[in-house]
Amino acid sequence: MSTLTIPQRLLMGPGPTNTPQSVLDALAQPTIGHLDPVFIRLMDDIKSMLRQTFLTENPLTLPVSAPGSAGMEACFVNLLEPGDKVVLAINGVFGKRMLENILRCGAEPTVVEFEWGQPVDPERIEQALKQQGQVKLLAFVHAETSTGAISNARELCALARQYDCLSLVDTVTSWCGTEVAVDRWQADAVYSGTQKCLGAMPGISPVSFSAKAVEAIKARQTPVQSWFLDMNLVMQYWQEDAPRVYHHTAPVNSLYGLYEALRLVLDEGLETRWKRHSNAHALLVQGLEELGLQMLVEQPARLPMLNAVKVPPGVDEAQVRQRLLQDHGIEIGAGLGPLAGKVWRIGLMGDNASEERVSGLLSALAEVLK
Ligand SMILES: *Cc1c(COP(=O)(O)O)cnc(C)c1O
């Protein structure tokens, strides 16, 4: 076997995005024991930085040792028990994945569907909450990566509170790229992923649970169906001011990477980072329009970090992606589900939300389209 050589790519799809060199360097530091005092201090620092980036004081804020989908599953399996009523908004792929989770928990979903490319409409959610009565959980995706639409999380979480149910928000694509204000929204459970706007390696899923969510977890009648994701157990490894109890071996080096990526975000400042993402988005949209291309999502529901662009008639969308990758080393994403063949998905996440990267992509795209 030859040694590993990976090509340089510019990752401008739906994630992962490029990992900054200092994060790659952090990953390469020596592996130490997952109960080493140095590592335990690092865990506490990571929890504190996660709280700062989620704008929350929730004590139960920690990184799940697996990708975003595991964070999603962690939220559902801990909060739901068989027979619980859930109102679920679906406006893309990730809402559908939430439905799979709800069904596997034995809960009873009421699905409110929206056209792909549309945000979740709070009025229709309110109707469902009103009709159902006694709903345990309202679940929705803040930033739908499959379509590029952003929904109003603050308003949706407020509805959940008004109807006395918990709120669960997917913030995988929004976190660290636009405002995710867990405490101000009073969201009860959120999860994210490291490979999108945080701009770190894939494979870790930060989650945060409110006091109300923790109460619901503690009041369960049945054990959490997943041993690995059971927060009652995971907490004993991640809790501060108490002896750490071995649960699983933390991905030690990945957590070095997470630490460094969070440090970079806080060093830049959250608001500066959000602004950088929205500036890059504005530049991209302007350039795409100059090329005669149209966006799928209408304002004001456009996500800054994920841009779904309509494929013009007569253009072979797969060939365009292939040429971008082969000739320019740039990856962009294809459409999913009903949008397959109809859109490209251009991601501006982490370091790639920059004027330089946007200009580079636009000129490569112009050349390929010619
Ligand atoms: C990427 C993504 C996920 C899944 O994350 P993985 O790390 O791929 O498991 C979930 N929700 C949304 C909105 C995403 O964009």
Side-chain angles (χ1 to χ4, degrees):
M1 302 295 283
S2 56
T3 55
L4 194 60
T5 346
I6 305 292
Q8 279 290 342
R9 303 271 199 231
L10 189 54
L11 302 177
M12 302 190 83
T17 191
N18 293 92
T19 309
Q21 190 57 47
S22 70
V23 174
L24 295 175
D25 292 344
L27 291 167
Q29 293 207 37
T31 303
I32 59 175
H34 66 113
L35 292 169
D36 189 299
V38 171
F39 190 68
I40 285 176
R41 271 202 300 281
L42 178 83
M43 289 165 73
D44 292 346
D45 289 343
I46 287 174
K47 283 172 53 173
S48 154
M49 290 194 286
L50 287 177
R51 287 188 200 108
Q52 290 175 60
T53 50
F54 276 123
L55 299 172
T56 183
E57 291 184 0
N58 287 339
L60 187 53
T61 302
L62 56 84
V64 171
S65 305
S69 304
M72 178 189 289
E73 189 148 348
C75 291
F76 282 109
V77 297
N78 280 279
L79 294 177
L80 292 182
E81 292 188 75
D84 283 343
K85 282 193 195 176
V86 181
V87 169
L88 169 67
I90 297 185
N91 63 339
V93 165
F94 293 101
K96 286 196 144 177
R97 191 172 289 185
M98 284 179 152
L99 178 59
E100 284 298 320
N101 276 274
I102 294 165
L103 294 171
R104 284 167 196 229
C105 291
E108 290 168 17
T110 299
V111 173
V112 188
E113 283 204 71
F114 302 88
E115 201 188 320
W116 288 34
Q118 294 292 324
V120 175
D121 175 5
E123 260 177 50
R124 289 190 44 215
I125 295 298
E126 179 160 20
Q127 280 168 13
L129 287 168
K130 214 182 268 177
Q131 267 166 18
Q132 289 301 312
Q134 285 281 302
V135 173
K136 169 94 171 273
L137 181 73
L138 166 65
F140 64 94
V141 176
H142 181 217
E144 235 318 333
T145 324
S146 61
T147 69
I150 187 161
S151 295
N152 190 330
R154 186 185 47 76
E155 219 174 303
L156 291 165
C157 290
L159 277 177
R161 263 195 324 288
Q162 190 184 328
Y163 288 86
D164 200 25
C165 74
L166 298 166
S167 51
L168 165 44
V169 192
D170 177 317
T171 64
V172 175
T173 283
S174 47
W175 179 59
C176 294
T178 194
E179 185 176 41
V180 171
V182 172
D183 283 1
R184 207 164 46 74
W185 296 347
Q186 292 184 256
D188 292 302
V190 299
Y191 58 90
S192 192
T194 41
Q195 77 275 31
K196 313 243 170 149
C197 293
L198 176 70
M201 66 292 131
I204 303 284
S205 179
V207 295
S208 184
F209 293 92
S210 73
K212 240 171 96 184
V214 172
E215 245 172 68
I217 296 171
K218 292 202 167 139
R220 291 178 65 98
Q221 305 285 309
T222 54
V224 173
Q225 72 194 57
S226 161
W227 179 85
F228 183 67
L229 297 173
D230 184 344
M231 283 299 141
N232 292 301
L233 305 177
V234 176
M235 263 188 263
Q236 294 178 37
Y237 175 53
W238 278 91
Q239 70 196 341
E240 283 157 61
D241 314 319
R244 314 281 164 142
V245 181
Y246 164 66
H247 176 256
H248 65 278
T249 308
V252 170
N253 291 62
S254 288
L255 292 176
Y256 304 160
L258 175 59
Y259 175 95
E260 172 60 12
L262 287 165
R263 193 190 67 77
L264 290 176
V265 168
L266 294 172
D267 206 37
E268 177 176 13
L270 280 177
E271 296 194 2
T272 312
R273 194 175 180 89
W274 302 336
K275 188 92 181 94
R276 179 161 61 74
H277 280 80
S278 68
N279 288 346
H281 162 75
L283 212 64
L284 176 73
V285 172
Q286 188 192 339
L288 291 170
E289 282 170 354
E290 280 165 19
L291 291 175
L293 298 169
Q294 286 177 341
M295 304 295 290
L296 172 77
V297 177
E298 295 302 328
Q299 282 294 33
R302 279 182 196 158
L303 270 177
M305 68 290 286
L306 195 289
N307 298 268
V309 187
K310 292 184 189 167
V311 176
V315 171
D316 180 342
E317 77 81 25
Q319 205 185 356
V320 170
R321 280 187 293 113
Q322 201 183 354
R323 291 234 3 233
L324 278 173
L325 189 66
Q326 277 171 3
D327 303 349
H328 301 272
I330 302 177
E331 178 183 274
I332 65 167
L336 296 175
L339 296 175
K342 295 187 179 149
V343 298
W344 293 298
R345 290 182 301 146
I346 301 177
L348 303 173
M349 299 179 179
D351 278 0
N352 292 347
S354 82
E355 205 169 307
E356 185 204 328
R357 302 277 159 93
V358 169
S359 317
L361 170 71
L362 285 169
S363 45
L365 190 59
E367 195 184 304
V368 168
L369 285 173
K370 241 194 285 161

